Amino acid sequence: MTTVQVINPATEQPVATFESMDLERTDAAIARAAAAAVSWRDVAPGDRARLLRRFAAAVDADLEQLARLEVANSGHTIGNARWEAGNVRDVLDYCAGMPERLLGSQIPVAGGVDITFCEPLGVVGVIVPWNFPMPIAGWGFAPALAAGNTVVLKPAELTPLTAIRLGELVLEAGLPHDVFQVLPGKGSVVGQRFVTHPAVRKVVFTGSTEVGREIMAGCARQVKRVTLELGGKSANIVFADADLQAAAATAPAGVFDNAGQDCCARSRILVQRGVFDTFLELLEPAVRAVRVGDPAEESTEMGPLISAEHRDRVAGFVEDSTTVAYTGTNPSGPGFWYPPTVVLPDSASDRVATEEIFGPIVAVLPFEDEAEAIALANATDYGLSGSIWTRDVGRALRVSRAVESGNLSVNSHASVRYWTPFGGFKQSGLGRELGPDAARAFTETKNVFIATE
Ligand code: TAP
């Protein structure tokens, strides 16, 4: 094991150290998880539910500490971090209603009875990125545990602290040892082992499309089940008949929340040509008003980027030839800051309009009519989310059906609710998380025929 230092991205100061797992310890943890799976699957559904509710209560009691830890480790604003810890609690509470509701079917057959069962898979490996360490962990582990699986979870190397704390809270809540283990370490060591270890029966991966493709290819060797939540380049489509004031006022939050480090960021704003200039004028004060600064301050709306390396990558998207319409502000001094930035690409094929930047840069592009808006929105390999601003209900529904994305919002940018399904079309992912069927993604359907003659 090696000791790794965690850095506060707002101050560049060390926050904590942690022990990074090597292969031997990873294998030992997976073996313990496999052993624990034998008894966890037999815990009565009502008892499993009760234990998950106790886990939710432990998270709730620790909410402020978890949130403060995320502010220090990830630079998330304190308001966001509280929401994120609350989301883990809510997902656990919601999934606690699932063990007793994993219903099978009884199917009419001749000569007997045919019934189906939802069987747990065994050990589930959850691999989490650095941009939303708490919610993304919860979306994987809560339904997996509810369905009777044990979980090994690998947080991102940059942001392991809240996951490590959740690994303590699960024991305080009284769940049996080894049912949920947190294994901090490198993706190439711990994450890869989830892919190659035969006892891990499913991998839930959230991260870049590039790594997701490798994970899927690796899992194919064992025909291992996989859920992928990958990148995005989502469109915010503003039609001329929309409430332009509301569309402009909310567009910054739709892309700059979490400093744009959000797979659902509406990083392309497509505006109907007749209102393009008006929209840009309305957007400017909203962008300049974004409060960027110390994420621990209650009033801060945007914090720093996660690392110096990532800040440099983001900055690389604004080249000398790029037309910058306007920018917001950011603090000087230590911290990995980048201001909210609005760019006007020369064409829809410019890098800023096609690649996932994962930072606070938004590209604004014009379109002529509904058909062109849909074509532009779909001119990407991604398909995660998007927004449609219009007062015409028929158009809202037509465009929602035509855009190749998993999560669309009309006159809103909200894409995530723990009780509705979430996931991507095309290269934004495979499978769905959250929603009423969340636990089913962690089961196999077994069909049993019982002869009565
Ligand atoms: P990645 O570099 O892909 O890393 C994600 C996780 O995978 C990290 O824990 C990483 O470990 C691990 N990993 C890296 N290489 C691996 C390998 N070869 N085998 C197994 N695991 C490996 O992504 P990122 O930069 O952290 O996250 C940003 C990306 O995630 C963006 O593209 C974003 O859109 C996407 N994202 C998608 C969603 C949804 S729900 N669709 C949500 C959030 C983020 P290390 O920490 O050691 O690198």
Side-chain angles (χ1 to χ4, degrees):
M1 294 220 291
T2 47
T3 304
V4 180
Q5 200 164 56
V6 174
I7 301 292
N8 181 330
T11 63
E12 303 183 34
Q13 295 301 308
V15 181
T17 58
F18 70 94
E19 298 301 322
S20 182
M21 293 265 184
D22 56 21
L23 202 56
E24 205 182 328
R25 281 177 191 257
T26 305
D27 278 356
I30 293 171
R32 289 196 301 274
V38 177
S39 43
W40 180 243
R41 60 172 288 158
D42 286 340
V43 171
D47 290 337
R48 223 185 301 141
R50 224 179 328 277
L51 285 166
L52 290 178
R53 283 192 196 100
R54 276 163 54 175
F55 191 4
V59 171
D60 192 45
D62 207 59
L63 193 141
E64 190 62 19
Q65 190 187 334
L66 282 165
R68 297 272 165 203
L69 209 51
E70 203 65 276
V71 173
N73 189 168
S74 308
H76 290 195
T77 62
I78 181 66
N80 277 11
R82 286 188 187 119
W83 182 89
E84 290 159 18
N87 182 257
V88 177
R89 171 203 58 209
D90 293 345
V91 172
L92 276 165
D93 257 334
Y94 181 63
C95 291
M98 293 179 182
E100 303 107 317
R101 294 177 178 81
L102 275 170
L103 307 179
S105 311
Q106 178 267 312
I107 301 167
V109 288
V113 174
D114 193 282
I115 46 177
T116 64
F117 295 90
C118 297
E119 302 286 14
L121 304 171
V123 181
V124 172
V126 180
I127 303 175
V128 180
W130 48 258
N131 69 325
F132 286 115
M134 282 191 277
I136 289 171
W139 301 357
F141 71 68
L145 294 173
N149 303 279
T150 56
V151 172
V152 282
L153 181 137
K154 191 205 96 66
E157 265 224 304
L158 290 172
T159 57
L161 299 186
T162 48
I164 292 171
R165 180 70 190 132
L166 288 169
E168 296 165 356
L169 291 172
V170 74
L171 297 178
E172 287 174 22
L175 274 82
H177 277 267
D178 304 326
V179 163
F180 174 53
Q181 300 176 75
V182 175
L183 315 184
K186 284 187 182 304
S188 55
V189 178
V190 182
Q192 259 311 302
R193 196 60 184 134
F194 292 179
V195 174
T196 58
H197 199 301
V200 176
R201 297 292 167 80
K202 174 163 186 166
V203 173
V204 179
F205 171 82
T206 305
S208 59
T209 295
E210 194 186 353
V211 176
R213 260 188 228 111
E214 295 298 314
I215 302 261
M216 189 176 178
C219 285
R221 290 183 179 279
Q222 294 169 17
V223 196
K224 189 172 288 194
R225 278 65 180 140
V226 65
T227 293
L228 301 173
E229 295 284 5
L230 310 175
K233 188 73 184 175
S234 298
N236 173 9
I237 309 173
V238 182
F239 286 96
D241 69 351
D243 178 344
L244 289 186
Q245 299 273 358
T250 57
V255 57
F256 301 141
D257 190 55
N258 205 30
Q261 303 166 125
D262 183 341
C263 53
C264 290
R266 275 68 169 167
S267 55
R268 295 182 293 155
I269 307 180
L270 312 180
V271 186
Q272 198 153 17
R273 199 178 291 280
V275 295
F276 189 80
D277 292 340
T278 312
F279 180 83
L280 274 182
E281 277 165 29
L282 292 169
L283 180 63
E284 181 168 355
V287 170
R288 294 199 192 280
V290 177
R291 288 189 291 269
V292 183
D294 179 359
E297 286 282 335
E298 297 285 340
S299 61
T300 297
E301 292 170 321
M302 191 181 116
L305 295 178
I306 190 67
S307 65
E309 188 191 359
H310 186 57
R311 192 240 336 254
D312 294 348
R313 190 188 151 272
V314 168
F317 278 90
V318 179
E319 297 166 27
D320 290 344
S321 58
T322 309
T323 305
V324 176
Y326 35 79
T327 70
T329 56
N330 65 265
S332 52
F336 310 125
W337 305 101
Y338 197 82
T341 299
V342 177
V343 301
L344 304 175
D346 292 332
S347 94
S349 58
D350 281 10
R351 268 182 84 214
V352 281
T354 59
E355 292 181 29
E356 184 182 44
I357 298 174
F358 224 54
I361 299 177
V362 68
V364 189
L365 293 149
F367 68 84
E368 295 299 334
D369 54 16
E370 195 175 305
E372 194 189 6
I374 293 164
L376 277 172
N378 288 340
T380 167
D381 289 336
Y382 296 117
L384 191 54
S385 61
S387 304
I388 298 147
W389 287 79
T390 176
R391 287 188 169 104
D392 179 335
V393 177
R395 165 177 283 158
L397 283 171
R398 279 195 307 276
V399 178
S400 297
R401 297 297 302 270
V403 172
E404 298 165 335
S405 266
N407 303 86
L408 288 159
S409 321
V410 175
N411 298 327
S412 160
H413 298 300
S415 344
V416 175
R417 290 181 184 80
Y418 58 81
W419 61 101
T420 59
F422 180 80
F425 277 34
K426 302 195 284 189
Q427 295 190 30
S428 280
L430 185 74
R432 292 292 179 272
E433 296 189 293
L434 303 176
D437 297 330
R440 284 191 181 263
F442 296 95
T443 64
E444 294 282 9
T445 300
K446 181 180 286 171
N447 191 69
V448 176
F449 169 72
I450 306 160
T452 50
E453 290 162 11

